[in-house]
Amino acid sequence: MMVAAISTLAVLVAIIALIPLAPGWPAVQKSFFNWEVFAKTFPGLLEAFVLDVMIFAWSAPLIAILALLVALARDARSPALYPLRMFAMVYTDVFRGVPVVLTVYLIGFGIPGLGLPRPWNSPYIWGSLALILTYSAYVAEIFRSGIESIHGSQRAAAASLGLRERDIMWSVVLPQAVRRVVPANMNMLIALQKDVALLSFIGPVEIFRQAGVFKSLYANFTPYVGAAVIFLLITIPATRFADYLMARQHAARS
Amino acid sequence: MDKLILKNIRKSFGSNEVIKGMSLSVREGEMICLIGASGSGKSTLLRTINLLEPIDDGEIFLDGVDIAEPGFDPQSVRRKIGIVFQNFNLFPHMTAVQNVMLAPKRVLGQSRAALMPKITALFEQFGLADRMQHYPDQLSGGQQQRVAIIRALAMAPEIMLFDEITSALDPELVAEVLDVLRSLRSQGMTMILATHEMSFARELSDRVCFLDQGVIVEEGPPEQIFTAPKQARTREFLNSVLRRN
């Protein structure tokens, strides 16, 4: 405890004392850590962040639903449903394999390019869809790992009571599986919250784009630092919470 | 007429044949104990009866109907044949009473209100009236196993299968579960038990079957099997387990 405190202090002092000694520090300080610009732009950034929160808020539930459907499709056992299983597999492979920003570009510019009438050419719709498709692929895999982690004896017990495949899945397997993967999904939510900023590339003036506008206006990079601070205010507590859930689950299992 | 007839059934897992042609008839109200070493095929035999394991060859007649035929609806069989497992297999995310109600609600379409009196009576009968709202991890092994038995009974089965249901229990909890079996026996339930409890098998069963390496080596009334087994293999097995007790 004592050792940790002393070494932390030493590192902090070194950083605070040494970095300002760098030759470029006065310039960096002026363009990245300008308090005046920070104070002026922060409220505007917060306002723009509301849009990030909204995109997040409508995307997250849709991701949960689509991911669950994909996970169930991949678990389908009947031979007649093989095409469905195949489709789900290709889907997860494709959307996990392409960088998010590329998907955002391709869907965000590509689909409105079809000449759709308003409001169907909105970048909000297609940008969100890009995020939903990408994240559903990851979350589906998480759900699937949860489903597979439920021991076969649970399915056998349910089947022995005369329950049908669908009831076994919905009443016995899924409730346990979903609970088991809550921590992993928390991490996906945190990542999603950050990736909403990628939509700025196709139009919506959310926090990242707003920071860019302020940057041009004040000829100063501080608004980006402000935006980072806002993200951290959300993601750090969320990350700690996810870690807490993970630790609690480990404790419960051992 | 016999309630259940197994005719020359076979079952393999990969290249390992675990049931090599077993036949058995069970009359209504009869209690049959399957004894034999681990790996002799007792559990698999029970699991084939309610179609949890499809058989490779042979016939299984329930009330005169061959239920092992491909395409036969397994749910209709499982409604009549309950099974209780060694490791309880309760659903951990449901309370005891929810565990019990799930199948009657989903499979038989009965309402919670209609079920409650009958299920409460079962919990009372087995000494668990004050445990209905507990989750499985809040119950002892013996209590969990009794809930598992109630869960199977709630479907009003005509035959009950018990797969070494006391093997995972601490010794002091075995008696409370065996008491449940005694009371079922006195109610005339048709039962097939795979068990290591030799004194219990001797005390209560109508017939004992000794299984070894995938075949029924010998079957007969408990007195005969335990005091005058005809087969050398049966004698060897009984000597080894009874000496241990």
Side-chain angles (χ1 to χ4, degrees):
Chain A
M1 187 71 189
M2 197 60 199
V3 177
I6 290 173
S7 80
T8 309
L9 198 69
V11 170
L12 276 178
V13 167
I15 291 173
I16 293 170
L18 292 179
I19 288 184
L21 295 180
W25 171 247
V28 168
Q29 188 182 24
K30 202 166 145 243
S31 51
F32 281 89
F33 301 101
N34 186 323
W35 176 250
E36 203 181 320
V37 175
F38 186 88
K40 255 193 237 162
T41 57
F42 198 76
L45 290 174
L46 263 185
E47 217 168 287
F49 188 65
V50 171
L51 182 56
D52 290 74
V53 173
M54 279 168 60
I55 294 171
F56 171 84
W58 68 56
S59 298
L62 293 172
I63 288 168
I65 294 168
L66 180 60
L68 196 55
L69 292 177
V70 172
L72 289 174
R74 290 202 67 171
D75 188 69
R77 281 151 186 226
S78 152
L81 295 178
Y82 183 76
L84 191 65
R85 214 162 70 217
M86 198 66 212
F87 178 79
M89 210 176 82
V90 170
Y91 165 79
T92 48
D93 282 356
V94 167
F95 282 94
R96 284 195 305 163
V98 177
V100 195
V101 66
L102 265 180
T103 310
V104 168
Y105 266 121
L106 289 174
I107 295 181
F109 284 134
I111 295 185
L114 295 172
L116 300 172
R118 289 175 70 135
W120 296 106
N121 58 0
S122 158
Y124 293 99
I125 294 177
W126 304 110
S128 302
L129 180 72
L131 287 178
I132 290 167
L133 289 174
T134 302
Y135 272 79
S136 293
Y138 285 99
V139 175
E141 285 301 285
I142 293 175
F143 277 140
R144 193 166 71 102
S145 73
I147 288 169
E148 282 174 1
S149 77
I150 303 303
H151 198 265
S153 61
Q154 286 283 310
R155 284 184 196 246
S160 77
L161 291 164
L163 290 167
R164 280 167 202 284
E165 211 40 66
R166 207 185 48 196
D167 284 326
I168 295 173
M169 185 49 86
W170 281 103
S171 302
V172 175
V173 177
L174 269 187
Q176 299 183 60
V178 168
R179 256 168 258 207
R180 216 170 264 193
V181 296
V182 163
N185 278 332
M186 272 298 295
N187 282 325
M188 292 311 292
L189 285 180
I190 293 163
L192 172 66
Q193 178 60 66
K194 293 183 298 174
D195 277 353
V196 167
L198 293 174
L199 264 56
S200 63
F201 290 130
I202 57 168
V205 183
E206 49 67 68
I207 186 167
F208 183 58
R209 185 106 167 173
Q210 184 62 55
V213 170
F214 283 143
K215 177 209 68 180
S216 308
L217 196 63
Y218 293 95
N220 192 292
F221 287 105
T222 304
Y224 285 132
V225 176
V229 167
I230 290 172
F231 274 110
L232 288 175
L233 287 178
I234 298 287
T235 51
I236 288 182
T239 311
R240 288 281 79 82
F241 183 61
D243 286 351
Y244 160 77
L245 288 179
M246 199 94 79
R248 204 180 57 171
Q249 202 161 67
H250 273 289
R253 253 190 253 176
S254 54
Chain B
M1 189 182 74
D2 287 328
K3 181 78 184 159
L4 179 75
I5 302 170
L6 310 179
K7 270 193 186 160
N8 205 23
I9 63 170
R10 290 176 177 274
K11 171 71 186 173
S12 302
F13 294 110
S15 60
N16 180 22
E17 192 170 39
V18 289
I19 298 186
K20 301 167 182 165
M22 290 190 187
S23 298
L24 181 69
S25 308
V26 184
R27 287 189 302 278
E28 183 137 23
E30 203 175 15
M31 172 165 166
I32 292 182
C33 282
L34 311 175
I35 61 171
S38 302
S40 57
K42 306 188 296 289
S43 292
T44 310
L45 179 63
L46 291 180
R47 293 167 69 93
T48 58
I49 294 175
N50 72 344
L51 309 183
L52 280 178
E53 299 288 356
I55 57 174
D56 301 327
D57 195 21
E59 294 158 305
I60 303 176
F61 294 99
L62 175 65
D63 294 321
V65 179
D66 186 358
I67 58 172
E69 224 163 76
F72 197 90
D73 175 27
Q75 275 88 17
S76 68
V77 173
R78 293 175 189 148
R79 243 174 279 166
K80 293 188 190 170
I81 305 180
I83 185 167
V84 182
F85 303 92
Q86 180 174 349
N87 293 311
F88 331 136
N89 298 356
L90 292 178
F91 308 130
H93 60 297
M94 298 182 185
T95 61
V97 71
Q98 286 170 338
N99 262 278
V100 173
M101 281 196 171
L102 177 66
K105 269 161 62 177
R106 288 291 154 74
V107 181
L108 307 176
Q110 295 170 343
S111 75
R112 188 188 155 82
L115 283 164
M116 212 49 186
K118 189 179 104 184
I119 284 174
T120 308
L122 281 170
F123 274 91
E124 278 166 4
Q125 184 190 343
F126 298 134
L128 291 170
D130 56 343
R131 293 287 183 273
M132 291 174 70
Q133 303 301 333
H134 287 54
Y135 284 89
D137 63 5
Q138 301 169 317
L139 299 172
S140 74
Q143 290 169 337
Q144 289 188 56
Q145 194 56 296
R146 281 182 282 159
V147 172
I149 295 172
I150 295 172
R151 182 172 71 176
L153 289 176
M155 292 297 286
E158 296 164 13
I159 301 175
M160 282 286 282
L161 311 173
F162 297 93
D163 187 3
E164 300 195 17
I165 62 168
T166 57
S167 297
L169 296 179
D170 293 332
E172 72 271 19
L173 301 176
V174 169
E176 63 190 60
V177 173
L178 293 184
D179 281 343
V180 170
L181 295 180
R182 273 191 198 95
S183 101
L184 284 180
R185 171 95 177 101
S186 68
Q187 291 164 32
M189 174 66 77
T190 310
M191 299 194 268
I192 307 175
L193 283 80
T195 185
H196 289 301
E197 299 288 331
M198 295 303 153
S199 56
F200 180 79
R202 188 166 176 177
E203 170 202 333
L204 257 91
S205 62
D206 296 298
R207 224 169 352 131
V208 174
C209 300
F210 170 63
L211 277 63
D212 189 36
Q213 294 177 13
V215 294
I216 297 178
V217 175
E218 185 168 359
E219 65 168 279
E223 278 314 307
Q224 184 238 307
I225 296 284
F226 284 104
T227 58
K230 289 181 186 134
Q231 303 291 329
R233 275 198 276 174
T234 316
R235 262 198 305 277
E236 259 168 54
F237 172 75
L238 287 173
N239 280 338
S240 73
V241 291
L242 294 178
R243 206 179 314 129
R244 221 181 299 142
N245 285 353

